[in-house]
Amino acid sequence: MQQTVRTKADPGAAGWRIRDPVTRLRWWGDDRSFDLSESRRLLVGTASECDLRLEVGASASRIHASLEKTNEGWTIADLGSKNGTRQDGEDRASFLLAPGMEVELGRARLVAESAEVVTLREFLRRLIGWGKDTMGEVDRAFQAVRQMAHLRASLLVLGDGPIVGIARRIHRLVLGAERPFSAHARGEIGGAAVERARDGMVVFDAQHLPADFAHVLATSRLPDWRVRLVMGATKGRAAARVAAKIAALATVTVPSLTKRREELDQVLLAYAHDAVASFGAPGTGLRPQDLSWVRASGVKDHHEADEVMSRVVAVRNWGVSGGAARLGLTHGALSKYFLRRKIPT
């Protein structure tokens, strides 16, 4: 599926909250980037005099395009190149760079990034992996999320465990906490979940889609509703059923944490810092052996990683009683949780 976003014509374009200034162009599937300086005009191409130099094998012209800083941001203009300039896969003579936009110059493919784009991409790297071999998959996941936010596709998240926590974080990053977020409850009429999510996001379990799912699909795209649909699936059969029902479907595959043991501490620390921000804690308060204890207790998926690190951070900062109050749990329930996982309190 081609990843394209028409920022002006899309009915969902207003839902994409990432609108901070573009500060760099990053090569797709790579960490190499070109920082946009305070210069008013930059040349792009393969020639040595270009400010942003492209590889000769990229089918780009010697002087391919120019970048000009305006009051609205950075504008890129093709300078009569042989193989053209494209915005999100569409040929364009010139256009304003927007956060997350894909820019192609010949075969060179770049992503326009801002601080908030980097934050979203870093969360996707947490889900998919930080290795060089996963960078392309992270960029594909980014564009899948962007398609969902712009109402050009529904989003299917394939992985272990519940995805509500993942979807909620994506919702806050791309739509904003002020927009509605809804999770469909098993056995609930689908229309009720969609009603709660007008101009926001609703999450479904692909294994237990509601009987009125066809109505959900029809309603979610109405101009007055504009509901982004996110489905989670742990099994290929459920994913196939969703794909058969939805023509425009963008997929993000989240590898099992059991296959990312060398990155597990990094994942756990990321969720610990999320908990610090959520609680307003002065720090994680983690003890030297906490990550070892958590690893030994077994962490199968991101739902578990989020849950256990939230509880550890709460207890380390405020003790069992204070931590339980902040988590909305009883003292006994939280104590039993730590006892079951063999994590000292």
PDB file of all heavy atoms in Angstrom, residues 242-270:
ATOM      1  N   VAL A 242      -9.782  -9.199   9.774  1.00  0.00           N
ATOM      2  CA  VAL A 242      -9.840  -7.751   9.733  1.00  0.00           C
ATOM      3  C   VAL A 242      -9.494  -7.258   8.335  1.00  0.00           C
ATOM      4  O   VAL A 242     -10.165  -6.376   7.779  1.00  0.00           O
ATOM      5  CB  VAL A 242      -8.870  -7.137  10.772  1.00  0.00           C
ATOM      6  CG1 VAL A 242      -8.724  -5.636  10.547  1.00  0.00           C
ATOM      7  CG2 VAL A 242      -9.370  -7.405  12.178  1.00  0.00           C
ATOM      8  N   ALA A 243      -8.442  -7.821   7.746  1.00  0.00           N
ATOM      9  CA  ALA A 243      -8.013  -7.407   6.409  1.00  0.00           C
ATOM     10  C   ALA A 243      -9.108  -7.660   5.377  1.00  0.00           C
ATOM     11  O   ALA A 243      -9.234  -6.907   4.405  1.00  0.00           O
ATOM     12  CB  ALA A 243      -6.735  -8.137   6.024  1.00  0.00           C
ATOM     13  N   ALA A 244      -9.902  -8.699   5.580  1.00  0.00           N
ATOM     14  CA  ALA A 244     -10.985  -9.009   4.651  1.00  0.00           C
ATOM     15  C   ALA A 244     -12.136  -8.005   4.761  1.00  0.00           C
ATOM     16  O   ALA A 244     -12.895  -7.814   3.808  1.00  0.00           O
ATOM     17  CB  ALA A 244     -11.508 -10.415   4.915  1.00  0.00           C
ATOM     18  N   LYS A 245     -12.249  -7.357   5.913  1.00  0.00           N
ATOM     19  CA  LYS A 245     -13.348  -6.422   6.145  1.00  0.00           C
ATOM     20  C   LYS A 245     -12.982  -4.978   5.805  1.00  0.00           C
ATOM     21  O   LYS A 245     -13.853  -4.156   5.521  1.00  0.00           O
ATOM     22  CB  LYS A 245     -13.791  -6.485   7.620  1.00  0.00           C
ATOM     23  CG  LYS A 245     -14.405  -7.812   8.033  1.00  0.00           C
ATOM     24  CD  LYS A 245     -14.715  -7.808   9.525  1.00  0.00           C
ATOM     25  CE  LYS A 245     -15.290  -9.137   9.991  1.00  0.00           C
ATOM     26  NZ  LYS A 245     -16.649  -9.378   9.476  1.00  0.00           N
ATOM     27  N   ILE A 246     -11.679  -4.645   5.870  1.00  0.00           N
ATOM     28  CA  ILE A 246     -11.251  -3.251   5.717  1.00  0.00           C
ATOM     29  C   ILE A 246     -10.325  -3.138   4.519  1.00  0.00           C
ATOM     30  O   ILE A 246      -9.252  -3.747   4.489  1.00  0.00           O
ATOM     31  CB  ILE A 246     -10.527  -2.759   6.983  1.00  0.00           C
ATOM     32  CG1 ILE A 246     -11.430  -2.930   8.213  1.00  0.00           C
ATOM     33  CG2 ILE A 246     -10.117  -1.306   6.831  1.00  0.00           C
ATOM     34  CD1 ILE A 246     -10.767  -2.554   9.512  1.00  0.00           C
ATOM     35  N   ALA A 247     -10.728  -2.334   3.540  1.00  0.00           N
ATOM     36  CA  ALA A 247      -9.921  -2.207   2.322  1.00  0.00           C
ATOM     37  C   ALA A 247      -8.628  -1.438   2.581  1.00  0.00           C
ATOM     38  O   ALA A 247      -7.556  -1.842   2.133  1.00  0.00           O
ATOM     39  CB  ALA A 247     -10.740  -1.512   1.238  1.00  0.00           C
ATOM     40  N   ALA A 248      -8.728  -0.335   3.288  1.00  0.00           N
ATOM     41  CA  ALA A 248      -7.544   0.486   3.579  1.00  0.00           C
ATOM     42  C   ALA A 248      -7.066   0.160   4.980  1.00  0.00           C
ATOM     43  O   ALA A 248      -7.649   0.619   5.970  1.00  0.00           O
ATOM     44  CB  ALA A 248      -7.880   1.970   3.446  1.00  0.00           C
ATOM     45  N   LEU A 249      -6.025  -0.639   5.068  1.00  0.00           N
ATOM     46  CA  LEU A 249      -5.526  -1.105   6.359  1.00  0.00           C
ATOM     47  C   LEU A 249      -4.013  -0.967   6.395  1.00  0.00           C
ATOM     48  O   LEU A 249      -3.306  -1.494   5.534  1.00  0.00           O
ATOM     49  CB  LEU A 249      -5.923  -2.567   6.575  1.00  0.00           C
ATOM     50  CG  LEU A 249      -5.664  -3.151   7.966  1.00  0.00           C
ATOM     51  CD1 LEU A 249      -6.533  -2.463   9.014  1.00  0.00           C
ATOM     52  CD2 LEU A 249      -5.952  -4.657   7.964  1.00  0.00           C
ATOM     53  N   ALA A 250      -3.512  -0.234   7.361  1.00  0.00           N
ATOM     54  CA  ALA A 250      -2.070  -0.079   7.567  1.00  0.00           C
ATOM     55  C   ALA A 250      -1.684  -0.903   8.793  1.00  0.00           C
ATOM     56  O   ALA A 250      -2.379  -0.875   9.812  1.00  0.00           O
ATOM     57  CB  ALA A 250      -1.714   1.388   7.783  1.00  0.00           C
ATOM     58  N   THR A 251      -0.582  -1.639   8.694  1.00  0.00           N
ATOM     59  CA  THR A 251      -0.214  -2.596   9.736  1.00  0.00           C
ATOM     60  C   THR A 251       1.105  -2.238  10.401  1.00  0.00           C
ATOM     61  O   THR A 251       2.069  -1.853   9.739  1.00  0.00           O
ATOM     62  CB  THR A 251      -0.110  -4.013   9.147  1.00  0.00           C
ATOM     63  OG1 THR A 251      -1.368  -4.366   8.548  1.00  0.00           O
ATOM     64  CG2 THR A 251       0.225  -5.038  10.216  1.00  0.00           C
ATOM     65  N   VAL A 252       1.129  -2.364  11.715  1.00  0.00           N
ATOM     66  CA  VAL A 252       2.351  -2.243  12.506  1.00  0.00           C
ATOM     67  C   VAL A 252       2.555  -3.562  13.241  1.00  0.00           C
ATOM     68  O   VAL A 252       1.661  -4.016  13.955  1.00  0.00           O
ATOM     69  CB  VAL A 252       2.260  -1.094  13.528  1.00  0.00           C
ATOM     70  CG1 VAL A 252       3.478  -1.098  14.451  1.00  0.00           C
ATOM     71  CG2 VAL A 252       2.134   0.248  12.817  1.00  0.00           C
ATOM     72  N   THR A 253       3.712  -4.180  13.054  1.00  0.00           N
ATOM     73  CA  THR A 253       4.029  -5.443  13.727  1.00  0.00           C
ATOM     74  C   THR A 253       4.978  -5.165  14.883  1.00  0.00           C
ATOM     75  O   THR A 253       6.053  -4.592  14.694  1.00  0.00           O
ATOM     76  CB  THR A 253       4.672  -6.446  12.754  1.00  0.00           C
ATOM     77  OG1 THR A 253       3.753  -6.704  11.674  1.00  0.00           O
ATOM     78  CG2 THR A 253       4.997  -7.753  13.451  1.00  0.00           C
ATOM     79  N   VAL A 254       4.563  -5.565  16.086  1.00  0.00           N
ATOM     80  CA  VAL A 254       5.355  -5.351  17.294  1.00  0.00           C
ATOM     81  C   VAL A 254       5.995  -6.678  17.690  1.00  0.00           C
ATOM     82  O   VAL A 254       5.294  -7.615  18.083  1.00  0.00           O
ATOM     83  CB  VAL A 254       4.475  -4.822  18.447  1.00  0.00           C
ATOM     84  CG1 VAL A 254       5.305  -4.619  19.716  1.00  0.00           C
ATOM     85  CG2 VAL A 254       3.798  -3.512  18.038  1.00  0.00           C
ATOM     86  N   PRO A 255       7.319  -6.806  17.586  1.00  0.00           N
ATOM     87  CA  PRO A 255       7.976  -8.066  17.931  1.00  0.00           C
ATOM     88  C   PRO A 255       7.784  -8.410  19.407  1.00  0.00           C
ATOM     89  O   PRO A 255       7.659  -7.526  20.260  1.00  0.00           O
ATOM     90  CB  PRO A 255       9.462  -7.796  17.629  1.00  0.00           C
ATOM     91  CG  PRO A 255       9.477  -6.578  16.768  1.00  0.00           C
ATOM     92  CD  PRO A 255       8.272  -5.781  17.144  1.00  0.00           C
ATOM     93  N   SER A 256       7.801  -9.694  19.707  1.00  0.00           N
ATOM     94  CA  SER A 256       7.681 -10.149  21.091  1.00  0.00           C
ATOM     95  C   SER A 256       8.891  -9.692  21.907  1.00  0.00           C
ATOM     96  O   SER A 256      10.024  -9.751  21.441  1.00  0.00           O
ATOM     97  CB  SER A 256       7.577 -11.672  21.127  1.00  0.00           C
ATOM     98  OG  SER A 256       7.648 -12.138  22.461  1.00  0.00           O
ATOM     99  N   LEU A 257       8.642  -9.257  23.133  1.00  0.00           N
ATOM    100  CA  LEU A 257       9.754  -8.869  24.007  1.00  0.00           C
ATOM    101  C   LEU A 257      10.626 -10.059  24.375  1.00  0.00           C
ATOM    102  O   LEU A 257      11.786  -9.878  24.745  1.00  0.00           O
ATOM    103  CB  LEU A 257       9.215  -8.199  25.272  1.00  0.00           C
ATOM    104  CG  LEU A 257       8.652  -6.787  25.096  1.00  0.00           C
ATOM    105  CD1 LEU A 257       8.142  -6.244  26.424  1.00  0.00           C
ATOM    106  CD2 LEU A 257       9.692  -5.845  24.517  1.00  0.00           C
ATOM    107  N   THR A 258      10.080 -11.258  24.267  1.00  0.00           N
ATOM    108  CA  THR A 258      10.899 -12.449  24.556  1.00  0.00           C
ATOM    109  C   THR A 258      12.003 -12.626  23.522  1.00  0.00           C
ATOM    110  O   THR A 258      12.965 -13.352  23.765  1.00  0.00           O
ATOM    111  CB  THR A 258      10.026 -13.714  24.600  1.00  0.00           C
ATOM    112  OG1 THR A 258       9.392 -13.895  23.321  1.00  0.00           O
ATOM    113  CG2 THR A 258       8.947 -13.596  25.670  1.00  0.00           C
ATOM    114  N   LYS A 259      11.870 -11.964  22.361  1.00  0.00           N
ATOM    115  CA  LYS A 259      12.897 -12.033  21.321  1.00  0.00           C
ATOM    116  C   LYS A 259      13.805 -10.803  21.325  1.00  0.00           C
ATOM    117  O   LYS A 259      14.668 -10.672  20.458  1.00  0.00           O
ATOM    118  CB  LYS A 259      12.226 -12.179  19.953  1.00  0.00           C
ATOM    119  CG  LYS A 259      11.408 -13.458  19.804  1.00  0.00           C
ATOM    120  CD  LYS A 259      10.743 -13.522  18.442  1.00  0.00           C
ATOM    121  CE  LYS A 259       9.917 -14.807  18.307  1.00  0.00           C
ATOM    122  NZ  LYS A 259       9.232 -14.881  16.984  1.00  0.00           N
ATOM    123  N   ARG A 260      13.618  -9.925  22.305  1.00  0.00           N
ATOM    124  CA  ARG A 260      14.415  -8.698  22.379  1.00  0.00           C
ATOM    125  C   ARG A 260      15.092  -8.585  23.748  1.00  0.00           C
ATOM    126  O   ARG A 260      15.138  -7.534  24.358  1.00  0.00           O
ATOM    127  CB  ARG A 260      13.526  -7.480  22.138  1.00  0.00           C
ATOM    128  CG  ARG A 260      12.921  -7.390  20.742  1.00  0.00           C
ATOM    129  CD  ARG A 260      12.001  -6.197  20.633  1.00  0.00           C
ATOM    130  NE  ARG A 260      12.705  -4.942  20.889  1.00  0.00           N
ATOM    131  CZ  ARG A 260      12.101  -3.789  21.198  1.00  0.00           C
ATOM    132  NH1 ARG A 260      10.774  -3.756  21.286  1.00  0.00           N
ATOM    133  NH2 ARG A 260      12.794  -2.698  21.420  1.00  0.00           N
ATOM    134  N   ARG A 261      15.636  -9.693  24.210  1.00  0.00           N
ATOM    135  CA  ARG A 261      16.210  -9.728  25.560  1.00  0.00           C
ATOM    136  C   ARG A 261      17.339  -8.719  25.742  1.00  0.00           C
ATOM    137  O   ARG A 261      17.502  -8.150  26.819  1.00  0.00           O
ATOM    138  CB  ARG A 261      16.693 -11.145  25.890  1.00  0.00           C
ATOM    139  CG  ARG A 261      15.547 -12.161  25.939  1.00  0.00           C
ATOM    140  CD  ARG A 261      15.977 -13.489  26.509  1.00  0.00           C
ATOM    141  NE  ARG A 261      14.880 -14.453  26.499  1.00  0.00           N
ATOM    142  CZ  ARG A 261      13.902 -14.485  27.393  1.00  0.00           C
ATOM    143  NH1 ARG A 261      13.902 -13.608  28.383  1.00  0.00           N
ATOM    144  NH2 ARG A 261      12.958 -15.389  27.319  1.00  0.00           N
ATOM    145  N   GLU A 262      18.118  -8.485  24.675  1.00  0.00           N
ATOM    146  CA  GLU A 262      19.232  -7.555  24.788  1.00  0.00           C
ATOM    147  C   GLU A 262      18.751  -6.101  24.886  1.00  0.00           C
ATOM    148  O   GLU A 262      19.504  -5.216  25.299  1.00  0.00           O
ATOM    149  CB  GLU A 262      20.187  -7.708  23.588  1.00  0.00           C
ATOM    150  CG  GLU A 262      19.674  -7.194  22.261  1.00  0.00           C
ATOM    151  CD  GLU A 262      18.635  -8.102  21.598  1.00  0.00           C
ATOM    152  OE1 GLU A 262      18.386  -9.213  22.135  1.00  0.00           O
ATOM    153  OE2 GLU A 262      18.087  -7.705  20.553  1.00  0.00           O
ATOM    154  N   GLU A 263      17.498  -5.841  24.537  1.00  0.00           N
ATOM    155  CA  GLU A 263      16.945  -4.488  24.607  1.00  0.00           C
ATOM    156  C   GLU A 263      15.911  -4.340  25.713  1.00  0.00           C
ATOM    157  O   GLU A 263      15.352  -3.252  25.901  1.00  0.00           O
ATOM    158  CB  GLU A 263      16.296  -4.107  23.270  1.00  0.00           C
ATOM    159  CG  GLU A 263      17.265  -3.970  22.112  1.00  0.00           C
ATOM    160  CD  GLU A 263      16.590  -3.505  20.837  1.00  0.00           C
ATOM    161  OE1 GLU A 263      15.373  -3.782  20.656  1.00  0.00           O
ATOM    162  OE2 GLU A 263      17.266  -2.855  20.016  1.00  0.00           O
ATOM    163  N   LEU A 264      15.668  -5.405  26.474  1.00  0.00           N
ATOM    164  CA  LEU A 264      14.573  -5.382  27.443  1.00  0.00           C
ATOM    165  C   LEU A 264      14.789  -4.319  28.522  1.00  0.00           C
ATOM    166  O   LEU A 264      13.840  -3.613  28.888  1.00  0.00           O
ATOM    167  CB  LEU A 264      14.398  -6.758  28.091  1.00  0.00           C
ATOM    168  CG  LEU A 264      13.226  -6.885  29.065  1.00  0.00           C
ATOM    169  CD1 LEU A 264      11.912  -6.477  28.415  1.00  0.00           C
ATOM    170  CD2 LEU A 264      13.133  -8.309  29.621  1.00  0.00           C
ATOM    171  N   ASP A 265      16.016  -4.182  29.031  1.00  0.00           N
ATOM    172  CA  ASP A 265      16.256  -3.161  30.058  1.00  0.00           C
ATOM    173  C   ASP A 265      15.940  -1.766  29.524  1.00  0.00           C
ATOM    174  O   ASP A 265      15.380  -0.925  30.239  1.00  0.00           O
ATOM    175  CB  ASP A 265      17.712  -3.211  30.523  1.00  0.00           C
ATOM    176  CG  ASP A 265      17.962  -4.333  31.525  1.00  0.00           C
ATOM    177  OD1 ASP A 265      17.017  -5.097  31.803  1.00  0.00           O
ATOM    178  OD2 ASP A 265      19.101  -4.452  32.017  1.00  0.00           O
ATOM    179  N   GLN A 266      16.286  -1.509  28.268  1.00  0.00           N
ATOM    180  CA  GLN A 266      16.013  -0.208  27.665  1.00  0.00           C
ATOM    181  C   GLN A 266      14.509   0.028  27.556  1.00  0.00           C
ATOM    182  O   GLN A 266      14.020   1.144  27.799  1.00  0.00           O
ATOM    183  CB  GLN A 266      16.668  -0.130  26.288  1.00  0.00           C
ATOM    184  CG  GLN A 266      16.728   1.264  25.695  1.00  0.00           C
ATOM    185  CD  GLN A 266      17.563   1.331  24.424  1.00  0.00           C
ATOM    186  OE1 GLN A 266      18.233   0.369  24.059  1.00  0.00           O
ATOM    187  NE2 GLN A 266      17.525   2.457  23.740  1.00  0.00           N
ATOM    188  N   VAL A 267      13.764  -1.017  27.205  1.00  0.00           N
ATOM    189  CA  VAL A 267      12.304  -0.916  27.130  1.00  0.00           C
ATOM    190  C   VAL A 267      11.728  -0.634  28.514  1.00  0.00           C
ATOM    191  O   VAL A 267      10.876   0.255  28.691  1.00  0.00           O
ATOM    192  CB  VAL A 267      11.702  -2.217  26.559  1.00  0.00           C
ATOM    193  CG1 VAL A 267      10.178  -2.204  26.678  1.00  0.00           C
ATOM    194  CG2 VAL A 267      12.105  -2.407  25.100  1.00  0.00           C
ATOM    195  N   LEU A 268      12.198  -1.383  29.523  1.00  0.00           N
ATOM    196  CA  LEU A 268      11.688  -1.213  30.887  1.00  0.00           C
ATOM    197  C   LEU A 268      11.981   0.191  31.417  1.00  0.00           C
ATOM    198  O   LEU A 268      11.116   0.815  32.049  1.00  0.00           O
ATOM    199  CB  LEU A 268      12.303  -2.264  31.811  1.00  0.00           C
ATOM    200  CG  LEU A 268      11.916  -3.721  31.511  1.00  0.00           C
ATOM    201  CD1 LEU A 268      12.719  -4.670  32.399  1.00  0.00           C
ATOM    202  CD2 LEU A 268      10.422  -3.948  31.701  1.00  0.00           C
ATOM    203  N   LEU A 269      13.175   0.693  31.164  1.00  0.00           N
ATOM    204  CA  LEU A 269      13.522   2.038  31.624  1.00  0.00           C
ATOM    205  C   LEU A 269      12.652   3.101  30.948  1.00  0.00           C
ATOM    206  O   LEU A 269      12.277   4.099  31.571  1.00  0.00           O
ATOM    207  CB  LEU A 269      14.994   2.323  31.355  1.00  0.00           C
ATOM    208  CG  LEU A 269      15.985   1.676  32.330  1.00  0.00           C
ATOM    209  CD1 LEU A 269      17.411   1.870  31.842  1.00  0.00           C
ATOM    210  CD2 LEU A 269      15.825   2.260  33.739  1.00  0.00           C
ATOM    211  N   ALA A 270      12.318   2.881  29.667  1.00  0.00           N
ATOM    212  CA  ALA A 270      11.449   3.830  28.965  1.00  0.00           C
ATOM    213  C   ALA A 270      10.077   3.885  29.635  1.00  0.00           C
ATOM    214  O   ALA A 270       9.513   4.975  29.832  1.00  0.00           O
ATOM    215  CB  ALA A 270      11.313   3.439  27.500  1.00  0.00           C
TER     216      ALA A 270
END
